[in-house]
Amino acid sequence: MATPSNPSSVDQGAEGRREEQPPEVGGGRLVMPEDGYEWKKYGQKFIRNIQMIRSYFKCRNNRCNAKKRVEWIPSNPTNNIRIVYDGQHSHGAPSGSDQASSSANQYDLGNQVFGRSNNEPS
DNA sequence: AATCTTTGACCCTCA
DNA sequence: GTGAGGGTCAAAGAT
């Protein structure tokens, strides 16, 4: 458009932005709140503005332009996780779309912390 | 062998 | 016009 300054209305072009905050995550390990959909991580960056680590996830379906981003504090991830959904799903959840029982993709966010000096074999 | 994950670098936008 | 930050893509490695 005529590049309106648009200082007030900041619409990033993303629709249906949702903010979800899980009540609590289990124990010392950080896992991804399953939504019943499949996500693929395509990036991770530490945001200085908020001093939080931000992970970028995209819906596995090409038909689905839904995106999801997870933010957490490197010092206190278990108690400060923030999940933000961007876009909408254009296809139903994968078979067995039962968040309650679908423990499909559990991303170990704890594994992505910068402090990982080395992997530890079990 | 296929699939998924991770990291780095690059790009773009805004101030 | 420049700088900084944020966001995305690609490739490689690992399982």
Side-chain angles (χ1 to χ4, degrees), chain A residues 23-40:
Chain A
E24 145 187 355
V25 273
R29 182 170 275 164
L30 218 168
V31 292
M32 259 255 220
E34 254 305 317
D35 301 40
Y37 291 93
E38 282 184 60
W39 302 91
K40 170 203 142 181

PDB file of all heavy atoms in Angstrom, chain A residues 23-40:
ATOM      1  N   PRO A  23       0.337 -24.502  31.500  1.00  0.00           N
ATOM      2  CA  PRO A  23       0.288 -24.330  32.949  1.00  0.00           C
ATOM      3  C   PRO A  23       1.617 -24.717  33.581  1.00  0.00           C
ATOM      4  O   PRO A  23       2.106 -24.083  34.474  1.00  0.00           O
ATOM      5  CB  PRO A  23      -0.821 -25.300  33.397  1.00  0.00           C
ATOM      6  CG  PRO A  23      -1.023 -26.240  32.248  1.00  0.00           C
ATOM      7  CD  PRO A  23      -0.573 -25.544  31.007  1.00  0.00           C
ATOM      8  N   GLU A  24       2.171 -25.735  33.055  1.00  0.00           N
ATOM      9  CA  GLU A  24       3.419 -26.186  33.702  1.00  0.00           C
ATOM     10  C   GLU A  24       4.006 -27.352  32.914  1.00  0.00           C
ATOM     11  O   GLU A  24       3.320 -28.129  32.297  1.00  0.00           O
ATOM     12  CB  GLU A  24       3.092 -26.591  35.133  1.00  0.00           C
ATOM     13  CG  GLU A  24       3.926 -27.730  35.545  1.00  0.00           C
ATOM     14  CD  GLU A  24       3.491 -28.233  36.899  1.00  0.00           C
ATOM     15  OE1 GLU A  24       2.615 -27.617  37.526  1.00  0.00           O
ATOM     16  OE2 GLU A  24       4.030 -29.221  37.305  1.00  0.00           O
ATOM     17  N   VAL A  25       5.289 -27.461  32.908  1.00  0.00           N
ATOM     18  CA  VAL A  25       5.938 -28.549  32.199  1.00  0.00           C
ATOM     19  C   VAL A  25       6.582 -29.477  33.205  1.00  0.00           C
ATOM     20  O   VAL A  25       6.996 -29.064  34.261  1.00  0.00           O
ATOM     21  CB  VAL A  25       6.994 -28.004  31.251  1.00  0.00           C
ATOM     22  CG1 VAL A  25       6.366 -27.660  29.944  1.00  0.00           C
ATOM     23  CG2 VAL A  25       7.650 -26.807  31.856  1.00  0.00           C
ATOM     24  N   GLY A  26       6.648 -30.685  32.818  1.00  0.00           N
ATOM     25  CA  GLY A  26       7.147 -31.680  33.775  1.00  0.00           C
ATOM     26  C   GLY A  26       8.626 -31.578  34.094  1.00  0.00           C
ATOM     27  O   GLY A  26       9.468 -31.497  33.239  1.00  0.00           O
ATOM     28  N   GLY A  27       8.927 -31.525  35.297  1.00  0.00           N
ATOM     29  CA  GLY A  27      10.270 -31.729  35.834  1.00  0.00           C
ATOM     30  C   GLY A  27      11.434 -31.000  35.200  1.00  0.00           C
ATOM     31  O   GLY A  27      11.297 -29.928  34.670  1.00  0.00           O
ATOM     32  N   GLY A  28      12.539 -31.544  35.266  1.00  0.00           N
ATOM     33  CA  GLY A  28      13.757 -30.863  34.817  1.00  0.00           C
ATOM     34  C   GLY A  28      13.905 -30.911  33.318  1.00  0.00           C
ATOM     35  O   GLY A  28      14.710 -30.203  32.743  1.00  0.00           O
ATOM     36  N   ARG A  29      13.136 -31.702  32.640  1.00  0.00           N
ATOM     37  CA  ARG A  29      13.289 -31.740  31.185  1.00  0.00           C
ATOM     38  C   ARG A  29      12.231 -30.887  30.522  1.00  0.00           C
ATOM     39  O   ARG A  29      11.089 -30.848  30.918  1.00  0.00           O
ATOM     40  CB  ARG A  29      13.148 -33.161  30.684  1.00  0.00           C
ATOM     41  CG  ARG A  29      13.358 -33.112  29.184  1.00  0.00           C
ATOM     42  CD  ARG A  29      13.473 -34.470  28.598  1.00  0.00           C
ATOM     43  NE  ARG A  29      14.834 -34.936  28.702  1.00  0.00           N
ATOM     44  CZ  ARG A  29      15.113 -36.221  28.540  1.00  0.00           C
ATOM     45  NH1 ARG A  29      14.181 -37.061  28.347  1.00  0.00           N
ATOM     46  NH2 ARG A  29      16.319 -36.632  28.587  1.00  0.00           N
ATOM     47  N   LEU A  30      12.640 -30.203  29.496  1.00  0.00           N
ATOM     48  CA  LEU A  30      11.724 -29.318  28.816  1.00  0.00           C
ATOM     49  C   LEU A  30      11.198 -30.005  27.569  1.00  0.00           C
ATOM     50  O   LEU A  30      11.962 -30.378  26.709  1.00  0.00           O
ATOM     51  CB  LEU A  30      12.500 -28.050  28.443  1.00  0.00           C
ATOM     52  CG  LEU A  30      11.654 -26.812  28.597  1.00  0.00           C
ATOM     53  CD1 LEU A  30      12.527 -25.615  28.513  1.00  0.00           C
ATOM     54  CD2 LEU A  30      10.642 -26.829  27.505  1.00  0.00           C
ATOM     55  N   VAL A  31       9.929 -30.154  27.454  1.00  0.00           N
ATOM     56  CA  VAL A  31       9.373 -30.800  26.266  1.00  0.00           C
ATOM     57  C   VAL A  31       8.380 -29.874  25.587  1.00  0.00           C
ATOM     58  O   VAL A  31       7.885 -28.941  26.180  1.00  0.00           O
ATOM     59  CB  VAL A  31       8.669 -32.104  26.638  1.00  0.00           C
ATOM     60  CG1 VAL A  31       9.702 -33.111  27.108  1.00  0.00           C
ATOM     61  CG2 VAL A  31       7.638 -31.838  27.689  1.00  0.00           C
ATOM     62  N   MET A  32       8.120 -30.161  24.347  1.00  0.00           N
ATOM     63  CA  MET A  32       7.211 -29.343  23.555  1.00  0.00           C
ATOM     64  C   MET A  32       5.774 -29.692  23.858  1.00  0.00           C
ATOM     65  O   MET A  32       5.395 -30.825  23.750  1.00  0.00           O
ATOM     66  CB  MET A  32       7.480 -29.652  22.108  1.00  0.00           C
ATOM     67  CG  MET A  32       8.290 -28.559  21.603  1.00  0.00           C
ATOM     68  SD  MET A  32       7.183 -27.674  20.673  1.00  0.00           S
ATOM     69  CE  MET A  32       8.161 -27.281  19.348  1.00  0.00           C
ATOM     70  N   PRO A  33       4.974 -28.749  24.164  1.00  0.00           N
ATOM     71  CA  PRO A  33       3.548 -28.951  24.372  1.00  0.00           C
ATOM     72  C   PRO A  33       2.899 -29.490  23.105  1.00  0.00           C
ATOM     73  O   PRO A  33       2.786 -28.777  22.114  1.00  0.00           O
ATOM     74  CB  PRO A  33       3.021 -27.561  24.703  1.00  0.00           C
ATOM     75  CG  PRO A  33       4.204 -26.720  24.992  1.00  0.00           C
ATOM     76  CD  PRO A  33       5.393 -27.373  24.372  1.00  0.00           C
ATOM     77  N   GLU A  34       2.536 -30.713  23.088  1.00  0.00           N
ATOM     78  CA  GLU A  34       1.947 -31.300  21.877  1.00  0.00           C
ATOM     79  C   GLU A  34       0.605 -30.654  21.539  1.00  0.00           C
ATOM     80  O   GLU A  34      -0.238 -30.469  22.399  1.00  0.00           O
ATOM     81  CB  GLU A  34       1.749 -32.792  22.126  1.00  0.00           C
ATOM     82  CG  GLU A  34       2.767 -33.612  21.372  1.00  0.00           C
ATOM     83  CD  GLU A  34       2.707 -33.271  19.908  1.00  0.00           C
ATOM     84  OE1 GLU A  34       1.606 -33.153  19.369  1.00  0.00           O
ATOM     85  OE2 GLU A  34       3.771 -33.117  19.313  1.00  0.00           O
ATOM     86  N   ASP A  35       0.452 -30.294  20.290  1.00  0.00           N
ATOM     87  CA  ASP A  35      -0.791 -29.660  19.859  1.00  0.00           C
ATOM     88  C   ASP A  35      -1.617 -30.617  19.031  1.00  0.00           C
ATOM     89  O   ASP A  35      -2.721 -30.337  18.640  1.00  0.00           O
ATOM     90  CB  ASP A  35      -0.483 -28.438  19.004  1.00  0.00           C
ATOM     91  CG  ASP A  35       0.333 -27.465  19.797  1.00  0.00           C
ATOM     92  OD1 ASP A  35       1.215 -27.912  20.515  1.00  0.00           O
ATOM     93  OD2 ASP A  35       0.089 -26.275  19.686  1.00  0.00           O
ATOM     94  N   GLY A  36      -1.070 -31.760  18.718  1.00  0.00           N
ATOM     95  CA  GLY A  36      -1.781 -32.697  17.869  1.00  0.00           C
ATOM     96  C   GLY A  36      -1.299 -32.535  16.437  1.00  0.00           C
ATOM     97  O   GLY A  36      -1.598 -33.328  15.558  1.00  0.00           O
ATOM     98  N   TYR A  37      -0.504 -31.533  16.154  1.00  0.00           N
ATOM     99  CA  TYR A  37       0.042 -31.317  14.809  1.00  0.00           C
ATOM    100  C   TYR A  37       1.539 -31.626  14.800  1.00  0.00           C
ATOM    101  O   TYR A  37       2.180 -31.629  15.831  1.00  0.00           O
ATOM    102  CB  TYR A  37      -0.173 -29.871  14.374  1.00  0.00           C
ATOM    103  CG  TYR A  37      -1.624 -29.555  14.132  1.00  0.00           C
ATOM    104  CD1 TYR A  37      -2.418 -29.017  15.139  1.00  0.00           C
ATOM    105  CD2 TYR A  37      -2.195 -29.830  12.893  1.00  0.00           C
ATOM    106  CE1 TYR A  37      -3.752 -28.734  14.916  1.00  0.00           C
ATOM    107  CE2 TYR A  37      -3.520 -29.546  12.671  1.00  0.00           C
ATOM    108  CZ  TYR A  37      -4.292 -29.000  13.686  1.00  0.00           C
ATOM    109  OH  TYR A  37      -5.612 -28.717  13.453  1.00  0.00           O
ATOM    110  N   GLU A  38       2.061 -31.810  13.617  1.00  0.00           N
ATOM    111  CA  GLU A  38       3.494 -32.072  13.510  1.00  0.00           C
ATOM    112  C   GLU A  38       4.226 -30.787  13.177  1.00  0.00           C
ATOM    113  O   GLU A  38       3.809 -30.024  12.332  1.00  0.00           O
ATOM    114  CB  GLU A  38       3.725 -33.109  12.413  1.00  0.00           C
ATOM    115  CG  GLU A  38       3.395 -34.503  12.910  1.00  0.00           C
ATOM    116  CD  GLU A  38       3.728 -35.501  11.836  1.00  0.00           C
ATOM    117  OE1 GLU A  38       4.893 -35.562  11.438  1.00  0.00           O
ATOM    118  OE2 GLU A  38       2.823 -36.205  11.395  1.00  0.00           O
ATOM    119  N   TRP A  39       5.358 -30.557  13.816  1.00  0.00           N
ATOM    120  CA  TRP A  39       6.110 -29.330  13.580  1.00  0.00           C
ATOM    121  C   TRP A  39       7.537 -29.641  13.220  1.00  0.00           C
ATOM    122  O   TRP A  39       8.116 -30.619  13.646  1.00  0.00           O
ATOM    123  CB  TRP A  39       6.071 -28.468  14.829  1.00  0.00           C
ATOM    124  CG  TRP A  39       4.676 -28.136  15.233  1.00  0.00           C
ATOM    125  CD1 TRP A  39       3.894 -28.851  16.091  1.00  0.00           C
ATOM    126  CD2 TRP A  39       3.882 -27.039  14.775  1.00  0.00           C
ATOM    127  NE1 TRP A  39       2.668 -28.246  16.203  1.00  0.00           N
ATOM    128  CE2 TRP A  39       2.637 -27.132  15.415  1.00  0.00           C
ATOM    129  CE3 TRP A  39       4.112 -25.982  13.888  1.00  0.00           C
ATOM    130  CZ2 TRP A  39       1.624 -26.202  15.194  1.00  0.00           C
ATOM    131  CZ3 TRP A  39       3.108 -25.069  13.675  1.00  0.00           C
ATOM    132  CH2 TRP A  39       1.881 -25.175  14.313  1.00  0.00           C
ATOM    133  N   LYS A  40       8.131 -28.789  12.467  1.00  0.00           N
ATOM    134  CA  LYS A  40       9.527 -28.974  12.083  1.00  0.00           C
ATOM    135  C   LYS A  40      10.313 -27.736  12.505  1.00  0.00           C
ATOM    136  O   LYS A  40       9.969 -26.613  12.149  1.00  0.00           O
ATOM    137  CB  LYS A  40       9.611 -29.156  10.571  1.00  0.00           C
ATOM    138  CG  LYS A  40      11.018 -29.099  10.087  1.00  0.00           C
ATOM    139  CD  LYS A  40      10.953 -28.722   8.640  1.00  0.00           C
ATOM    140  CE  LYS A  40      12.018 -27.801   8.225  1.00  0.00           C
ATOM    141  NZ  LYS A  40      12.039 -27.371   6.920  1.00  0.00           N
TER     142      LYS A  40
END
